[in-house]
Amino acid sequence: MFCVYLHIPFCQKICDYCDFRVMPVQPRIYKEFVSFLCKQIVCFERKNPGLLATAQTLYLGGGTPSVLPAEYLREIFECLASVGVNVHKLTEISMEFNPESTNEASVEAALELGVNRISLGLQTFDAELLKLVGRSHSVEAGIRALNLLTSRRGLQVNADLMFDLPTQKVQGFLDDVDRLSDFPLNHVSFYGLNVSPRSRLGHRVSRGELTIDEDVYEPMYLGGVEILERKGLKRYEVSNFAREGFESVHNQNYWNCGEYAGFGPGAHSFVGGVRYYAPEIYPRWRDYVSAGCPSEMLEVDVLNRESKIMELLWLSLRQSRGLSFADLEAIGVRDAEKLARPCVDKWIGKNFVVKSDDSIRLSGRGWIFMDDIVTDLSNVYSNLE
Ligand code: SF4
């Protein structure tokens, strides 16, 4: 399956924990940004004729795509149509929204363009925590956005929560999950806060002004999973939960090692077995596009057998369906199951992994130890002849 990702790098305000390549909203460069984004898309089409027309999903992420005025979104969609992307036939068109830019007009504009899935960055219902991590919206704005989005018939809605925020209590997060799951949502995601030392929050943590309590991670994660599963939202990936049939098609393509083209500063692509990354810094990305998108300006990763094995382990085990040994054999690992048996038996003994037929998957507290389990398996398959 082939998918298209568009990175819109603007945000109303930069959150204190954020270390993505994003910039505060700059209406004066929207026009320029969209024109370079379209040039990049056209450039890709010239180098890979016909490939974009095979796309099955489109994802507008960022950043906060919902800050981009409707006329610019329309221009981007017209450009996609001009290179053969039939937006009316795509299985899924997702767009990220933040509460402060969710209103009748922005939602209507997205729906008119064909967007059929909106992902809302809600993060928490706790006003103090929103302030502490530097989010730009209020609890009330989050609730208004949820009500507006879930009232749209036929629109798939996801909402994101964060956990393990500084000072957050286990019960506080579980109350967030409970409250969110009372809205008529078909999809919820939650992520443990990963504090980058480069972020403002990271500086506060390193100065000792704030602490991240690692002990609350496990009861928050496992408690959150339990609440969602009780309400019919099943975990299909470590951080993603959906009612059956509402799983994100676009994101599953990433986790199933499918190919995609990404456009915008720092966007990743995976085409013809090669992963590459456009320049992240806006002026460098602009130079790259102006120069006709030369491959010398990209960071490129050609996947060898070892990196394919590592990717398969990381991407499969994060999904509830788990890892199939047949998939390892398909990329050239002989006796994949036999080689892993002592390692797998150790994790089965702890009830962290279950085995069925030809595959293994994480279970119970195994989800908390996902990194250790994958690293252990990686060691089994590293340096194979
Ligand atoms: S909204 Fe998301 S991308 Fe934008 S600053 Fe906040 S965390 Fe970063």
Side-chain angles (χ1 to χ4, degrees):
M1 183 160 109
F2 187 75
C3 297
V4 174
Y5 173 79
L6 304 178
H7 182 72
I8 312 295
F10 308 106
C11 285
Q12 193 64 41
K13 169 182 177 290
I14 307 303
C15 306
D16 287 1
Y17 55 88
C18 186
D19 74 340
F20 299 136
R21 284 282 171 200
V22 289
M23 38 192 176
V25 282
Q26 296 190 41
R28 68 187 166 80
I29 64 164
Y30 288 163
K31 192 174 168 53
E32 175 193 88
F33 166 75
V34 169
S35 112
F36 277 94
L37 187 74
C38 292
K39 275 190 194 138
Q40 191 185 9
I41 293 170
V42 170
C43 216
F44 181 91
E45 171 60 15
R46 273 199 210 112
K47 293 180 183 184
N48 305 272
L51 190 52
L52 291 170
T54 67
Q56 292 187 29
T57 65
L58 168 66
Y59 194 105
L60 286 86
T64 310
S66 54
V67 299
L68 211 54
E71 73 254 37
Y72 295 117
L73 289 172
R74 254 194 306 276
E75 199 177 323
I76 297 170
F77 275 64
E78 278 163 16
C79 168
L80 287 169
S82 76
V83 294
V85 179
N86 186 344
V87 289
H88 303 295
K89 290 221 168 125
L90 296 177
T91 314
E92 188 181 275
I93 306 179
S94 299
M95 182 165 163
E96 293 177 354
F97 272 61
N98 266 344
E100 70 278 357
S101 49
T102 305
N103 52 53
E104 289 281 351
S106 62
V107 174
E108 208 46 56
L111 298 189
E112 266 174 29
L113 288 169
V115 170
N116 58 10
R117 183 174 185 274
I118 286 183
S119 183
L120 181 71
L122 190 81
Q123 317 313 356
T124 173
F125 289 107
D126 183 319
E128 289 300 313
L129 284 177
L130 284 174
K131 210 158 120 200
L132 187 74
V133 297
R135 294 288 299 182
S136 59
H137 68 271
S138 63
V139 175
E140 294 70 30
I143 293 170
R144 263 199 309 277
L146 269 175
N147 282 327
L148 176 61
L149 294 174
T150 54
S151 69
R152 294 299 165 127
R153 194 183 285 266
L155 177 65
Q156 293 181 40
V157 183
N158 167 62
D160 285 346
L161 289 177
M162 291 176 77
F163 69 97
D164 206 1
L165 302 171
T167 75
Q168 191 177 32
K169 300 280 178 283
V170 174
Q171 194 53 50
F173 173 65
L174 299 185
D175 289 346
D176 274 355
V177 178
D178 213 20
R179 191 166 175 192
L180 182 62
S181 59
D182 282 340
F183 285 85
L185 293 163
N186 290 320
H187 197 290
V188 167
S189 311
F190 60 63
Y191 302 89
L193 175 67
N194 185 9
V195 184
S196 156
R198 289 190 310 183
S199 66
R200 277 195 296 269
L201 199 71
H203 292 147
R204 293 188 68 190
V205 170
S206 56
R207 286 199 300 266
E209 292 167 23
L210 288 172
T211 47
I212 305 292
D213 182 356
E214 287 173 9
D215 292 342
V216 300
Y217 186 96
E218 181 171 333
M220 285 183 177
Y221 179 78
L222 295 178
V225 172
E226 199 194 313
I227 294 171
L228 291 181
E229 297 211 320
R230 211 179 330 115
K231 303 225 178 155
L233 290 144
K234 286 181 69 177
R235 173 176 49 196
Y236 68 103
E237 191 267 349
V238 60
S239 302
N240 285 277
F241 305 80
R243 292 187 206 286
E244 210 175 321
F246 290 93
E247 298 85 0
S248 160
V249 180
H250 185 91
N251 289 339
Q252 281 181 301
N253 183 52
Y254 294 144
W255 304 322
N256 292 333
C257 305
E259 299 212 330
Y260 52 90
F263 301 101
H268 302 181
S269 298
F270 180 40
V271 179
V274 179
R275 264 183 215 294
Y276 55 87
Y277 312 87
E280 279 190 2
I281 297 167
Y282 183 76
R284 286 218 59 224
W285 170 75
R286 216 176 34 193
D287 292 348
Y288 158 74
V289 178
S290 296
C293 307
S295 44
E296 307 80 75
M297 288 180 76
L298 296 170
E299 206 181 302
V300 179
D301 254 355
V302 180
L303 297 186
N304 58 24
R305 191 176 68 148
E306 189 154 343
S307 46
K308 278 188 194 160
I309 295 170
M310 297 312 144
E311 266 203 11
L312 184 63
L313 296 177
W314 283 109
L315 295 174
S316 302
L317 283 166
R318 64 186 302 137
Q319 299 185 68
S320 296
R321 67 170 178 80
L323 169 74
S324 151
F325 289 108
D327 288 347
L328 278 166
E329 303 260 348
I331 53 171
V333 182
R334 268 183 287 150
D335 298 325
E337 183 178 355
K338 196 167 142 205
L339 283 172
R341 207 169 288 152
C343 165
V344 168
D345 286 347
K346 179 181 82 185
W347 293 109
I348 289 177
K350 293 177 190 280
N351 293 323
F352 287 0
V353 163
V354 289
K355 187 168 183 307
S356 46
D357 300 327
D358 172 49
S359 61
I360 54 169
R361 57 187 170 78
L362 301 180
S363 131
R365 295 180 68 225
W367 289 95
I368 304 291
F369 291 90
M370 181 172 79
D371 291 0
D372 296 329
I373 296 168
V374 175
T375 305
D376 216 10
L377 274 167
S378 308
N379 293 335
V380 168
Y381 297 119
S382 59
N383 304 314
L384 288 179
E385 284 301 308

